[in-house]
C-alpha cells in the first residue's frame, strides 16, 4: 500500500527570480502522475502542517522562531539574525517561507507516522528531502530538515533506519544530525553520488521535465513490475533527495 502526501498549494511558493529551487516542479510531477493514472493506485493525503513542537525535535527554538517571524518586508530589520542563521542568497526570505517549511516537513513526519502504524508500506513526499538544513541554520536551499524529523519519528518504533541519499549533493545536514549519536542511520551517499552523476548529466541536457519523468518511471516500476521493493517487507519513505528504509 502506497500513501502519497501532496498539497496543491506547494507549487505556489517562489524562491525568487533566477533561483534554481523551483517548488513548481512538484506540481509538474503531480500532473504527470495524474495523467499516467498512477494516482488511482495510491492513497493521496494532504499533509498536516508541521507544528513548532515537531520542528523543534531537531531544530533550535530560536531558529524556528526566526523562520516563523521573518518576512520579505521585515528582513532588513533582522540583519544580524539573517547572518547568524545563514539566510540570504542561497536560502532567501520569500512570501510564505514558514508555511512552505510546515508543508514539506509535515509530509515527511506524516509519512513516518503512517509507516509506524502500519497504515502504508511506502510513503511518498516529493515536497520533502531538504537534506542540507542544520540544527541552527539554513543551507543549500533548505530551511527545515524534514528527513531528520522523519527519521526521528521512525526511530520511535524501529530499531534502525537506513538513509539513502539520492541527490547529486551530499546530504550533509542529515549526516551531521546523527554523526555523534548512537542512532543507527546508514548514509549511502558515495554509491548514490556516482549514480546521480549520470542522471544530473541528462537533467542538464533535457531540462527539468527529466526529473519528473524519472519519478514516474520509478513509480511505474513499483506498481507494474515490482522492481523497487523494500526487501523483507521493510517500510520505506521516499522523498525528493532521499529514501528512508526501516530495517
Amino acid at each position: 500500500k502506497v500513501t502519497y502526501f501532496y498539497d496543491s498549494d506547494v507549487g505556489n511558493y517562489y524562491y525568487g527570480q533566477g533561483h534554481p529551487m523551483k517548488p513548481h516542479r512538484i506540481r509538474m510531477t503531480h500532473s504527470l502522475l495524474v495523467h499516467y493514472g498512477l494516482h488511482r493506485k495510491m492513497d493521496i493525503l494532504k499533509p498536516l502542517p508541521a507544528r513548532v513542537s515537531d520542528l523543534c525535535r531537531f531544530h533550535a527554538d530560536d531558529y524556528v522562531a526566526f523562520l516563523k517571524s521573518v518576512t520579505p518586508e521585515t528582513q532588513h530589520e533582522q540583519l544580524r539574525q539573517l547572518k547568524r542563521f545563514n539566510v540570504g542568497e542561497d536560502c532567501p526570505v520569500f512570501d510564505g517561507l514558514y508555511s512552505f517549511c510546515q508543508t514539506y516537513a509535515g509530509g515527511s513526519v506524516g509519512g513516518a507516522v503512517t509507516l509506524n502504524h502500519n497504515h502504508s508500506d511506502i510513503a511518498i513526499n516529493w515536497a520533502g528531502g531538504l537534506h542540507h538544513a542544520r540544527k541552527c541554520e539554513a543551507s543549500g536551499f533548505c530551511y527545515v530538515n524534514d528527513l531528520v524529523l522523519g527519521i526521528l519519528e521512525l526511530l520511535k518504533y524501529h530499531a534502525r533506519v537506513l538513509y539513502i541519499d539520492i541527490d547529486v549533493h551530499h546530504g550533509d545536514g542529515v549526516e551531521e544530525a546523527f554523526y555523534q549519536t548512537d542512532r543507527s542511520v546508514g548514509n549511502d551517499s558515495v554509491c548514490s553520488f556516482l549514480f546521480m552523476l549520470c542522471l544530473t548529466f541528462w537533467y542538464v541536457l533535457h531540462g527539468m521535465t527529466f526529473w519528473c519523468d524519472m519519478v514516474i518511471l520509478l513509480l511505474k516500476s513499483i506498481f507494474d513490475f515490482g522492481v523497487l521493493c523494500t526487501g523483507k517487507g521493510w517500510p520505506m519513505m521516499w522523498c525528493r533527495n532521499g529514501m528512508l528504509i526501516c530495517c
Side-chain angles (χ1 to χ4, degrees):
K1 182 178 179 180
V2 179
T3 302
Y4 164 44
F5 288 85
Y6 176 70
D7 188 326
S8 59
D9 292 333
V10 73
N12 295 332
Y13 297 106
Y14 182 57
Y15 273 59
Q17 185 174 2
H19 199 287
M21 179 67 164
K22 303 182 187 300
H24 177 62
R25 294 173 184 165
I26 303 164
R27 179 180 287 157
M28 293 173 61
T29 303
H30 179 77
S31 178
L32 277 175
L33 182 147
V34 171
H35 281 84
Y36 273 98
L38 295 174
H39 64 294
R40 302 189 188 99
K41 301 186 178 183
M42 300 184 289
D43 291 335
I44 302 179
L45 301 178
K46 182 177 180 179
L48 295 174
R51 302 163 298 181
V52 170
S53 58
D54 296 324
L55 303 180
C56 289
R57 290 200 63 205
F58 171 59
H59 293 286
D61 295 1
D62 54 352
Y63 174 56
V64 173
F66 168 77
L67 292 177
K68 189 175 182 179
S69 65
V70 70
T71 67
E73 293 74 27
T74 64
Q75 61 177 319
H76 67 280
E77 303 169 1
Q78 305 182 60
L79 297 179
R80 181 176 297 179
Q81 290 94 325
L82 289 172
K83 183 176 180 180
R84 174 186 174 192
F85 297 127
N86 196 36
V87 174
E89 185 175 351
D90 276 356
C91 302
V93 177
F94 56 86
D95 288 327
L97 169 59
Y98 185 68
S99 296
F100 175 62
C101 295
Q102 286 183 294
T103 298
Y104 76 75
S108 293
V109 173
V113 170
T114 64
L115 296 178
N116 282 344
H117 295 279
N118 298 316
H119 294 158
S120 61
D121 303 302
I122 298 174
I124 297 173
N125 175 35
W126 286 317
L130 280 77
H131 55 174
H132 295 304
R134 291 175 164 82
K135 182 180 180 68
C136 300
E137 66 179 51
S139 178
F141 317 159
C142 307
Y143 303 87
V144 168
N145 200 316
D146 61 289
L147 287 165
V148 171
L149 299 177
I151 290 170
L152 291 174
E153 184 65 32
L154 291 172
L155 286 171
K156 291 180 180 179
Y157 286 76
H158 301 276
R160 295 183 301 274
V161 175
L162 173 65
Y163 166 58
I164 304 177
D165 197 296
I166 56 175
D167 185 38
V168 67
H169 301 106
H170 175 50
D172 50 352
V174 180
E175 180 186 56
E176 183 179 293
F178 297 99
Y179 187 73
Q180 294 183 328
T181 74
D182 58 358
R183 295 297 197 182
S184 298
V185 179
N187 188 337
D188 192 18
S189 57
V190 175
C191 178
S192 298
F193 175 75
L194 296 174
F195 174 67
M196 286 304 293
L197 277 177
C198 300
L199 295 183
T200 302
F201 174 74
W202 283 99
Y203 176 88
V204 171
L205 286 182
H206 298 286
M208 70 175 67
T209 55
F210 173 75
W211 183 87
C212 303
D213 291 336
M214 181 187 71
V215 166
I216 297 301
L217 177 63
L218 291 175
L219 261 185
K220 287 181 70 64
S221 298
I222 291 174
F223 294 126
D224 298 342
F225 308 108
V227 174
L228 282 181
C229 63
T230 54
K232 303 174 182 178
W234 294 337
M236 178 181 76
M237 181 159 68
W238 183 14
C239 296
R240 176 171 41 192
N241 291 329
M243 303 171 72
L244 308 179
I245 300 176
C246 307
C247 50

